[in-house]
């Protein structure tokens, strides 16, 4: 007996089959199947042969591969009963329920009083699968591993792209062969982490940004996670995502985080656009529009808060075009450095004898919104909170400290109530529209309840203060995922304001993140994390590629630098309405020294392309830059926005250097743009409009 189901649209199809009421297998995932395809025939056709050295029936590579089936690879569930004995469930079909765009499939093992439920949705607007596994038990059990619904990837995909990185160098990509055995990434830091963005792209050697097939995955969870990409001895391949294996849980109800997945026939951009649109249109809720130009005072004053100085900085930031002022670390307790006061969320009367009102009034009079920094999950030993409640600290007393701080146990309701009361008090008594929510160390204990406690606290604050936007900052890129974005409005992509580093980080993060949620700031002339000194034009245009802001002392700017920043900010404001809704398309550059992207309006009527030369090219002249996503038969007018930046060593007369270009989409995508020569560490900006 075969039961079959189809989740599909005009871009992809996922076909599931249950044989003899066993757990469903994905028997097809790929390009959209034609209407009327016989699913039962496809399911039967997917059954593989059996030969020497094998068991007599292939164990199903199901949505949760079972140990009871003698599955030869990573199983989807590892659990124990109350006495510690391993559970070996054998699930059988129980029921199904269909919605307009999804399915809920229920399977049970009645002998063990277990139910396994798969919630499967294909979002129609974005063609993104959202898949979740639930386990219900009559008795209390311990679950060591529960995978989100497991998907296969075809044998013809020979490579995978995984994500690693570090502080100030997030979203590093590595292209690896998909080989026999398991590739396992087990993130035990307790947060999403700089080094473990929970994503994976499976592809072919020839897949590029603009062409080829790709299967892309993201696990929407803000705690530690585990990923398994495995090729079995029989040649089948599976991808699993779930909570980190150190996140042991006992109880009767268990649920994975959502696994988001999609198939693209148009290269990495095809998948990236779906993730970007899904975050922008379905995950993030209540973001301010238009997106305000951001100013953060951290790299201007650090912990030294002086009211008159902050007012002067705010005035200069407003003159440059800022629309939001964020007061960073140092306003509370007796916080003069990073050794004290975390947890004491009371305004420091030494620095603010009349509270925050005088500063807020000044900022509001300048037409700016006021924002403030918190790090709620952390505590310093030198704090009133830690002295009063050492029992609220997560982990053992002699643990290694991180950034002079410890972590609060967010599974404790008393801790969450304390934090809520103090944060709410600040929000109620001050005109605050924005929170920068930081998280500056890894956890000493990997526990899913820590992330769940964080979610509960943020959800409570969002419910009671719906007009307040929240930014997820975790030493920069340490907590970026769709789980946190369901509760926040912006992510701080990296603590690095080095524009060259940012070009690469932004480029790779665009595989999943839209511009509207990705904070990017113009940093100081001399970057304190890289030691580099970079021109204001590169810094400004790099920030203008995402949600733009400033994070430097504006008093350091020369008049010429200030004018450049005003001009770029004005350009960004004039274009932000459509850019913050645009698709970010990564361009395949023939010059490896160039990082390039094209932001294309949803209706295809206009675009802007950014091409940054990050180092000297190996050849003398720029190679043509091929665009993408245009109508081949359409006509476009292109203008080089910053043509005045061409240096004197650019002695020729390429057309864009002196006048606008009109050409077909076919020409622009096939031949590409001939840009003027320029120095390294510069960026060209090209605007295009369909005629």
């Amino acid at each position: 007996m075969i039961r079959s189901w189809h989740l599909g649209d005009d871009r992809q199809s996922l076909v599931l089959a249950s044989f003899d009421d066993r757990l469903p297998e994905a028997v097809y995932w790929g390009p959209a199947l034609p209407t009327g395809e016989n699913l039962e025939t496809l399911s039967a056709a997917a059954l593989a042969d059996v030969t020497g050295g094998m068991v007599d029936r292939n164990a199903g590579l199901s949505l949760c591969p079972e140990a009871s089936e003698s599955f030869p690879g990573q199983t989807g569930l590892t659990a124990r009963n109350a006495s510690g004995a391993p559970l070996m469930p054998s699930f059988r079909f129980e029921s199904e329920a269909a919605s307009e765009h999804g399915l809920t499939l229920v399977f049970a093992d009645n002998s063990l009083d277990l139910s396994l439920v798969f919630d499967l949705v294909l979002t129609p607007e974005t063609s993104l699968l959202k898949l979740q596994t639930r386990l219900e038990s009559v008795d209390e059990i311990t679950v060591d591993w529960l995978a989100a619904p497991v998907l296969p990837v075809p044998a013809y995909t020979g490579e995978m792209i995984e994500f690693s990185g570090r502080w100030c160098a997030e979203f590093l990509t590595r292209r690896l062969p998909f080989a026999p055995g398991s590739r396992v990434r087990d993130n035990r830091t307790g947060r999403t982490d700089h080094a473990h963005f929970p994503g994976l792209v499976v592809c072919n050697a020839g897949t590029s940004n603009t062409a080829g097939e790709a299967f892309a995955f993201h696990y929407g969870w803000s705690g530690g996670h585990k990923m398994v990409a495995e090729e079995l001895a029989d040649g089948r391949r599976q991808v699993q995502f779930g909570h980190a294996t150190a996140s042991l849980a006992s109880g009767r109800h268990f649920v994975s985080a959502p696994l988001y997945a999609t198939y693209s026939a148009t290269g990495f951009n095809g998948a990236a656009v779906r993730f970007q649109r899904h975050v922008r249109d379905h995950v993030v809720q209540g973001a301010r529009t238009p997106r305000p130009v951001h100013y953060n005072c951290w790299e201007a004053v650090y912990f030294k808060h002086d009211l008159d100085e902050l007012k002067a900085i705010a005035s200069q930031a407003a003159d440059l075009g800022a629309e939001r002022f964020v007061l960073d670390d140092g306003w509370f307790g007796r916080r003069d450095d990073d050794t004290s006061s975390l947890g004491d969320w009371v305004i420091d009367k030494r620095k603010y004898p009349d509270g925050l009102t005088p500063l807020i009034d000044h900022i509001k009079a300048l037409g700016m919104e006021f924002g403030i920094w918190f790090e709620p999950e952390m505590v310093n030993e030198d704090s009133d909170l830690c002295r009063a409640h050492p029992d609220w600290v997560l982990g053992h007393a002699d643990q290694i400290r991180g950034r002079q701080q410890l972590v609060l146990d967010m599974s404790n309701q008393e801790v969450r109530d304390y934090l809520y009361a103090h944060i709410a008090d600040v929000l109620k008594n001050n005109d605050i529209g924005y929170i920068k929510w930081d998280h500056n160390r890894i956890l000493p204990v990997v526990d899913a309840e820590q992330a769940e406690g964080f979610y509960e606290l943020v959800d409570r604050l969002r419910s009671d203060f719906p007009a307040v936007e929240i930014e997820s900052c975790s030493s920069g890129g340490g907590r970026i995922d769709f789980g946190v974005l369901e509760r926040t409005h912006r992510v701080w992509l990296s603590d690095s304001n080095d524009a060259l580093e940012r070009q690469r980080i932004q480029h790779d993060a665009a595989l999943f993140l839209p511009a509207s949620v990705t904070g990017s700031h113009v940093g100081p002339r001399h970057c304190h994390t890289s030691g580099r000194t970079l021109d204001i034009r590169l810094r400004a245009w790099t920030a203008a590629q995402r949600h733009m802001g400033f994070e430097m002392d504006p008093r350091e700017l020369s008049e010429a630098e200030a004018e450049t920043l005003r001009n770029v900010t004005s350009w960004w404001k004039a274009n932000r309405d459509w850019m913050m809704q645009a698709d970010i398309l990564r361009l395949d550059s023939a010059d490896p020294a160039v990082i390039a992207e094209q932001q294309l309006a949803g209706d295809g009527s206009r675009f802007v392309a950014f091409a940054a030369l990050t180092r000297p090219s190996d050849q003398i002249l720029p190679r043509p830059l091929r665009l993408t996503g245009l109508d081949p038969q359409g006509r476009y007018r292109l203008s080089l926005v910053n043509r005045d930046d061409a240096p004197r060593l650019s002695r020729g007369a390429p057309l864009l250097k002196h006048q606008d270009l009109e050409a077909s989409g076919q020409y622009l995508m096939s031949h590409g743009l001939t840009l003027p020569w320029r120095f390294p560490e510069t960026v060209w900006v090209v605007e295009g409009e369909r005629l």
Side-chain angles (χ1 to χ4, degrees):
M1 176 184 176
I2 300 177
R3 299 179 190 269
S4 58
W5 303 271
H6 179 213
L7 286 174
D9 56 19
D10 60 354
R11 289 160 282 187
Q12 65 177 320
S13 287
L14 175 67
V15 177
L16 304 174
S18 169
F19 300 94
D20 297 326
D21 283 345
R22 292 189 293 271
L23 289 181
E25 306 173 35
V27 295
Y28 177 88
W29 183 29
L33 294 171
T35 302
E37 188 83 61
N38 189 308
L39 301 185
E40 187 169 332
T41 298
L42 292 187
S43 302
L47 289 172
D49 203 353
V50 175
T51 186
M54 301 177 72
V55 293
D56 295 338
R57 177 176 59 79
N58 288 312
L61 202 170
S62 69
L63 297 184
C64 185
E66 295 174 289
S68 61
E69 287 266 296
S70 299
F71 186 74
Q74 171 72 54
T75 57
L77 172 65
T78 306
R80 293 170 279 138
N81 64 18
S83 63
L87 293 173
M88 301 279 283
S90 183
F91 292 104
R92 291 296 183 269
F93 178 80
E94 188 86 1
S95 66
E96 64 179 285
S99 62
E100 185 178 2
H101 303 293
L103 291 167
T104 296
L105 303 178
V106 181
F107 291 76
D109 184 326
N110 295 321
S111 67
L112 296 175
D113 290 325
L114 295 174
S115 293
L116 195 63
V117 183
F118 302 108
D119 296 307
L120 315 169
V121 175
L122 179 61
T123 308
E125 299 88 350
T126 58
S127 194
L128 205 63
L129 292 160
K130 182 181 180 181
L131 314 173
Q132 209 157 3
T133 304
R134 289 183 281 141
L135 177 67
E136 309 285 348
S137 175
V138 172
D139 302 317
E140 184 163 303
I141 61 173
T142 298
V143 171
D144 301 308
W145 172 246
L146 177 66
V150 176
L151 292 177
V153 289
Y156 64 77
T157 54
E159 297 185 349
M160 68 179 84
I161 297 175
E162 63 173 22
F163 296 84
S164 58
R166 58 170 173 79
W167 178 70
C168 285
E170 294 82 354
F171 285 92
L172 290 172
T173 59
R174 297 186 64 200
R175 200 157 176 162
L176 305 172
F178 210 125
S182 293
R183 175 66 180 173
V184 179
R185 295 185 64 90
D186 203 359
N187 169 21
R188 298 170 180 267
T189 66
R191 60 179 179 180
T192 318
D193 200 57
H194 305 78
H196 297 281
F197 176 75
L200 180 73
V201 181
V202 179
C203 59
N204 293 313
T207 304
S208 68
N209 289 319
T210 58
E213 292 183 287
F215 297 81
F217 305 82
H218 170 69
Y219 191 59
W221 170 242
S222 303
H225 75 277
K226 178 180 174 181
M227 179 206 82
V228 179
E230 182 176 32
E231 181 176 312
L232 305 176
D234 59 31
R236 291 179 294 171
R237 293 170 172 175
Q238 65 165 335
V239 172
Q240 294 192 14
F241 275 94
H243 291 8
T245 51
S247 298
L248 309 182
S250 296
R252 294 178 173 85
H253 174 78
F254 308 87
V255 60
S256 74
L259 175 65
Y260 298 88
T262 195
Y263 162 80
S264 167
T266 54
F268 304 131
N269 284 340
V273 164
R274 294 177 197 171
F275 282 112
Q276 292 168 23
R277 292 179 179 179
H278 196 82
V279 169
R280 187 181 64 231
D281 301 336
H282 296 278
V283 175
V284 174
Q285 300 293 322
R288 201 90 72 244
T289 53
R291 305 301 282 141
V293 177
H294 202 90
Y295 177 77
N296 184 290
C297 70
W298 174 244
E299 294 195 36
V301 300
Y302 296 101
F303 295 104
K304 183 179 177 293
H305 287 212
D306 176 84
L307 182 59
D308 291 336
E309 187 175 25
L310 286 167
K311 286 182 176 180
I313 289 171
S315 296
Q316 289 181 271
D319 177 68
L320 293 167
E323 298 163 311
R324 172 188 284 155
F325 181 99
V326 179
L327 185 67
D328 212 286
D329 194 355
W331 58 268
F332 56 92
R334 298 182 66 84
R335 182 77 165 172
D336 297 325
D337 55 34
D338 64 4
T339 65
S340 77
S341 300
L342 284 177
D344 299 341
W345 300 111
V346 179
I347 297 165
D348 186 347
K349 291 294 185 181
R350 300 172 307 153
K351 299 176 183 178
Y352 300 97
D354 299 312
L356 296 175
T357 300
L359 178 59
I360 294 174
D361 287 349
H362 178 76
I363 286 165
K364 299 289 284 188
L366 293 168
M368 290 194 290
E369 178 181 75
F370 180 77
I372 196 166
W373 181 93
F374 285 96
E375 193 175 5
E377 296 145 274
M378 301 296 160
V379 65
N380 288 121
E381 289 169 278
D382 182 12
S383 68
D384 293 340
L385 177 62
C386 195
R387 284 185 283 271
H389 287 287
D391 55 310
W392 285 4
V393 172
L394 183 69
H396 54 81
D398 61 348
Q399 65 183 269
I400 298 173
R401 275 52 175 167
R403 199 176 181 258
Q404 313 291 331
Q405 62 198 51
L406 298 166
V407 184
L408 293 172
D409 181 0
M410 295 298 291
S411 69
N412 186 332
Q413 185 66 53
E414 289 184 287
V415 171
R416 299 198 299 272
D417 288 344
Y418 169 88
L419 292 172
Y420 173 84
H422 283 72
I423 296 170
D425 184 67
V426 174
L427 296 179
K428 287 174 184 175
N429 293 301
N430 297 278
D431 190 353
I432 294 171
Y434 187 87
I435 291 174
K436 177 182 177 182
W437 189 303
D438 219 333
H439 183 290
N440 276 306
R441 61 156 291 177
I442 63 173
L443 304 187
V445 177
V446 183
D447 189 340
E449 291 184 353
Q450 187 75 7
E452 290 164 358
F454 160 67
Y455 283 172
E456 192 274 340
L457 176 60
V458 179
D459 290 345
R460 187 177 174 188
L461 288 165
R462 282 289 308 275
S463 176
D464 291 347
F465 300 93
V468 177
E469 278 200 11
I470 300 176
E471 173 188 276
S472 174
C473 174
S474 183
S475 299
R479 187 156 61 189
I480 296 176
D481 57 82
F482 290 12
V484 79
L485 279 167
E486 287 182 342
R487 297 161 170 86
T488 58
H489 307 85
R490 188 181 196 256
V491 295
W492 182 227
L493 194 59
S494 176
D495 273 348
S496 175
N497 278 321
D498 181 305
L500 289 178
E501 291 283 354
R502 276 277 173 162
Q503 282 288 334
R504 201 275 311 153
I505 297 170
Q506 291 176 179
H507 187 71
D508 291 329
L511 288 167
F512 296 92
L513 300 178
S516 58
V517 306
T518 306
S520 187
H521 296 173
V522 182
R525 185 184 302 121
H526 180 79
C527 180
H528 79 291
T529 59
S530 70
R532 272 196 287 243
T533 299
L534 296 172
D535 187 88
I536 186 64
R537 291 166 292 185
L538 176 64
R539 288 182 281 144
W541 283 118
T542 298
Q545 293 178 232
R546 298 296 184 267
H547 182 191
M548 188 177 188
F550 320 142
E551 191 160 350
M552 92 294 268
D553 189 338
R555 297 169 296 184
E556 80 169 23
L557 296 173
S558 68
E559 189 50 49
E561 289 174 321
E563 186 62 23
T564 295
L565 185 51
R566 285 190 201 96
N567 291 338
V568 175
T569 303
S570 295
W571 177 91
W572 188 82
K573 288 181 176 180
N575 289 279
R576 64 180 161 186
D577 285 347
W578 73 266
M579 283 178 60
M580 294 299 98
Q581 297 295 314
D583 299 329
I584 303 172
L585 305 175
R586 304 184 344 152
L587 296 178
D588 294 317
S589 173
D591 185 347
V594 172
I595 294 176
E597 71 179 31
Q598 179 185 333
Q599 298 189 18
L600 179 65
D603 62 3
S605 64
R606 61 193 306 179
F607 64 85
V608 60
F610 299 90
L613 184 63
T614 61
R615 61 171 176 80
S617 296
D618 295 336
Q619 75 287 340
I620 296 174
L621 296 177
R623 288 176 169 155
L625 181 67
R626 299 205 299 173
L627 303 183
T628 190
L630 305 179
D631 178 1
Q633 304 305 313
R635 301 286 301 175
Y636 296 85
R637 178 184 294 114
L638 280 70
S639 175
L640 189 59
V641 176
N642 56 338
R643 59 168 55 109
D644 291 342
D645 291 347
R648 286 182 296 171
L649 280 177
S650 173
R651 297 183 294 144
L655 189 145
L656 272 174
K657 185 177 171 182
H658 301 286
Q659 67 182 70
D660 291 352
L661 164 68
E662 290 188 14
S664 68
Q666 186 66 70
Y667 173 84
L668 297 171
M669 293 189 292
S670 297
H671 180 276
L673 299 177
T674 300
L675 294 167
W677 185 92
R678 45 30 192 294
F679 288 118
E681 301 180 3
T682 61
V683 58
W684 285 127
V685 183
V686 180
E687 285 184 310
E689 181 181 7
R690 183 168 180 171
L691 300 175

